[in-house]
Amino acid sequence: MSAAELIPAPGAVRTRGAAFALDERTGLDAGPGTEATARWLRGILGAATGLALPPGTGPHGGAIRLRVDDTGSLGPEGYRLSVDEAGVSVHGGGPAGVFWGAQTLRQLLGAEAFRRAPVTPGRRWTVPGVTVEDAPRFGWRGLLLDVARHFLPKDGVLRYLDLMAAHKLNVLHFHLTDDQGWRVEIRRYPKLTETGAWRSRTKVGHRASPLWDERPHGGFYTQDDIREIVAYAAERHITVVPEIDVPGHSQAAIAAYPELGNTDVIDTTALSVWDTWGVNPNVLAPTDNTLRFYEGVLEEVLELFPSAFVHLGGDECPKDQWRSSAAAQARIKELGLAGEDGLQAWFIAHFDRWLTERGRRLIGWDEILEGGLAPGAAVSSWRGYGGGIAAARAGHDVVMCPEQYVYLDHRQAPGEEEPVPIGFVRTLEDAYRFEPVPARLTEDEARHVLGTQANLWSEVTEDQQRVDYQVFPRLAAFAEVAWSALPAPAQRDFAGFERRMAAHYQRLDALGVAYRPPTGPRPWQRRPGVLGRPIEGTPPDK
């Protein structure tokens, strides 16, 4: 495999001549701070090659050497990979840099290095003579997995952590709660999963579709499942950021505990976990009881997730019930708030203070800007660039994930042939030409852009095969945007990226990824257009 076929594209590559051959005598020499990467590399390459890769340099001196470079010249996620006939050395600016260098080494060994057992008996494994120097553009390179709309079993989550790591992504935004399901065990509130994790049926396709799957759907992760997922991610230098969505997108919680809803407006005891899609009118009541309840939820969430950030949603919260609720109106008057938007801002600000007191940071969707942004909060800008620009100009950190560009549930070609053709058309080339930092930001303002993430909402991705189809190959293009120092979108070499993808498709094949073929969906993957809701035209920038 050539260094010219790496994805994401590295910062600098120089050929060095002779290759290094791996054989049964090759050792794996791990310096201090690299032990976790050594375990991962021995497990991955040992399985694919059948080689033991024992500790140390091996009897003939040839080895894969892993070292942390503490000079500060590489940056914590940067690495230098050098290969010659004597061996492979990976120096990282920190343990994460060593790990990303090991990922590059795996790519250099070819697609068969991505399999779980040897497939070519007696194959000679070689790494081309090369020096790669590399470091990421952004510190937040994320993927959102929505497991609330359609539950993804634990093994599927672990698999996606491996796929993220293979593309040098380092943040899993874990969307754990919504109207359609509550997916994390909270021991003090068992009904959240006894009731809230299950719905009786499911809308098939967009909410305008007449079709239903009448089978019950649900599932949740136990606290030990979550600990396993977080630990598995940490071994791959991925941070798991949990999302507990409030005060909207909360019908599953209200179905489990009706007192959380606006009981003076509707009969919340009649609510069940929602079985369709869209913006739900049933939102949390702005009461002290609700605040104490979610403080209890978050106490357990903080025990499970060590991430600096906790995502509290804040999006798509209709205010109709608050307008009709005497209790909500009394709370607005009592606190001297500027109407219902001020009430939502008060709700978010409460948890911003609560998290700050515990050494964490709140992040939410850009609706948390409405009514005033909590002082320490960061923003996930999903409704275009506008929210992120406003937040950055106000001195708040931002993760750019505009719907019009990086929502992977959106269709990948025009017309009716996509399996569920919802949303804006976003092709592989569109993903490659996405620019996370708006040109309207000054240099100082742009420093507030922590990075970017692609979002995979799961209303129309009901199983692993559909998830794969929507995510890949666009995630490979997005990963290069998030990692590599690319030129301006119009100057990017998409033809060159496509050439490199020819080798990358072989890696994805070896990993068992059911990606969308470059030629489009196969006949058996197509579905009637009634399941989708195309959005025509050019997406807005705001």
Side-chain angles (χ1 to χ4, degrees):
M1 186 66 64
S2 166
E5 296 172 327
L6 296 173
I7 288 179
V13 178
R14 298 189 302 274
T15 58
R16 300 188 64 186
F20 174 67
L22 282 71
D23 58 29
E24 64 278 357
R25 301 171 298 169
T26 301
L28 181 53
D29 181 10
T34 72
E35 295 86 357
T37 294
R39 286 193 299 272
W40 175 85
L41 196 56
R42 184 175 289 112
I44 290 293
L45 294 189
T49 66
L51 302 176
L53 300 177
T57 60
H60 68 321
I64 300 169
R65 297 174 178 85
L66 309 178
R67 296 291 187 270
V68 172
D69 182 341
D70 57 7
T71 64
S73 62
L74 293 173
E77 291 192 276
Y79 68 90
R80 183 186 305 107
L81 183 151
S82 300
V83 183
D84 59 24
E85 59 188 354
V88 177
S89 68
V90 179
H91 287 76
V98 176
F99 182 71
W100 303 133
Q103 291 286 355
T104 297
L105 170 61
R106 188 188 191 190
Q107 288 199 20
L108 290 172
L109 282 164
E112 284 190 26
F114 289 77
R115 296 193 178 272
R116 297 183 185 181
V119 297
T120 307
R123 169 179 171 161
R124 185 171 182 263
W125 292 89
T126 60
V127 190
V130 69
T131 295
V132 178
E133 295 187 6
D134 203 9
R137 179 185 180 191
F138 293 111
W140 185 303
R141 307 180 302 280
L143 173 67
L144 178 144
L145 285 181
D146 169 15
V147 296
R149 274 53 176 269
H150 279 100
F151 180 64
L152 184 64
K154 181 192 69 178
D155 283 354
V157 177
L158 300 179
R159 174 177 178 266
Y160 258 83
L161 288 168
D162 281 329
L163 291 172
M164 289 175 64
H167 292 82
K168 298 185 174 73
L169 299 175
N170 69 343
V171 177
L172 172 64
H173 179 158
F174 211 15
H175 186 79
L176 289 164
T177 73
D178 216 295
D179 299 303
Q180 296 85 3
W182 185 285
R183 304 296 180 213
V184 55
E185 177 188 25
I186 302 298
R187 288 175 177 167
R188 74 187 71 184
Y189 303 128
K191 291 181 183 178
L192 286 172
T193 46
E194 291 173 0
T195 299
W198 306 93
R199 60 178 181 262
S200 61
R201 65 174 187 167
T202 299
K203 173 67 71 173
V204 176
H206 184 260
R207 60 182 176 273
S209 164
L211 305 179
W212 294 88
D213 182 343
E214 297 293 346
R215 298 172 297 176
H217 178 84
F220 66 93
Y221 309 104
T222 68
Q223 293 203 355
D224 281 346
D225 290 337
I226 293 293
R227 292 187 182 95
E228 181 183 356
I229 288 167
V230 169
Y232 195 86
E235 290 175 351
R236 288 149 183 79
H237 299 276
I238 296 171
T239 299
V240 183
V241 174
E243 182 178 352
I244 306 296
D245 212 339
V246 295
H249 288 291
S250 297
Q251 183 161 318
I254 298 170
Y257 291 92
E259 64 271 21
L260 296 174
N262 294 282
T263 56
D264 61 342
V265 177
I266 63 166
D267 178 12
T268 56
T269 63
L271 293 179
S272 58
V273 178
W274 213 26
D275 57 10
T276 189
W277 322 122
V279 179
N280 191 310
N282 297 304
V283 302
L284 296 173
T287 64
D288 290 340
N289 174 66
T290 300
L291 296 181
R292 301 293 87 76
F293 183 95
Y294 275 89
E295 287 170 0
V297 168
L298 289 172
E299 284 176 2
E300 296 193 26
V301 167
L302 296 191
E303 291 175 359
L304 296 170
F305 296 93
S307 58
F309 285 98
V310 176
H311 207 291
L312 290 189
D315 61 314
E316 297 181 326
C317 179
K319 309 298 192 298
D320 294 343
Q321 289 186 356
W322 289 352
R323 292 187 185 98
S324 302
S325 166
Q329 292 301 311
R331 177 53 56 102
I332 290 172
K333 183 177 180 181
E334 170 198 344
L335 298 172
L337 301 174
E340 292 76 24
D341 284 346
L343 190 58
Q344 176 166 342
W346 164 82
F347 194 100
I348 296 297
H350 172 85
F351 287 104
D352 178 66
R353 290 190 299 272
W354 190 92
L355 288 168
T356 299
E357 289 168 358
R358 289 155 181 80
R360 306 296 185 94
R361 291 186 64 189
L362 182 147
I363 185 169
W365 302 110
D366 54 59
E367 284 94 333
I368 67 175
L369 290 161
E370 297 168 5
L373 185 59
V379 169
S380 299
S381 187
W382 76 275
R383 293 180 300 177
Y385 288 120
I389 291 170
R393 286 176 173 170
H396 294 273
D397 289 337
V398 178
V399 175
M400 286 293 185
C401 47
E403 173 188 14
Q404 299 89 345
Y405 301 96
V406 292
Y407 270 35
L408 299 181
D409 50 315
H410 285 198
R411 58 195 174 133
Q412 301 177 66
E416 299 279 317
E417 290 197 342
E418 290 299 302
V420 182
I422 69 166
F424 297 105
V425 174
R426 275 294 161 256
T427 65
L428 181 64
E429 182 171 0
D430 291 330
Y432 192 66
R433 296 193 189 279
F434 165 60
E435 173 48 49
V437 180
R440 285 175 282 169
L441 292 180
T442 67
E443 185 176 340
D444 285 343
E445 291 165 348
R447 291 192 181 99
H448 286 289
V449 179
L450 300 176
T452 184
Q453 73 180 30
N455 295 343
L456 192 279
W457 301 102
S458 65
E459 290 95 332
V460 296
T461 53
E462 68 276 6
D463 55 33
Q464 179 175 292
Q465 186 180 66
R466 286 284 295 115
V467 171
D468 281 4
Y469 181 93
Q470 292 300 123
V471 170
F472 288 99
R474 290 184 295 183
L475 192 70
F478 171 82
E480 186 150 307
V481 169
W483 177 277
S484 305
L486 298 177
Q491 281 75 54
R492 292 177 189 171
D493 182 10
F494 179 67
F497 174 77
E498 283 191 303
R499 287 192 293 272
R500 285 182 287 124
M501 279 301 299
H504 201 64
Y505 284 123
Q506 297 177 41
R507 299 176 192 128
L508 296 178
D509 286 334
L511 288 167
V513 176
Y515 56 84
R516 182 187 190 273
T519 55
R522 299 177 178 93
W524 59 267
Q525 292 174 315
R526 299 168 186 162
R527 285 182 171 178
V530 69
L531 301 185
R533 180 180 60 93
I535 301 175
E536 303 298 345
T538 302
D541 286 338
K542 299 180 180 179

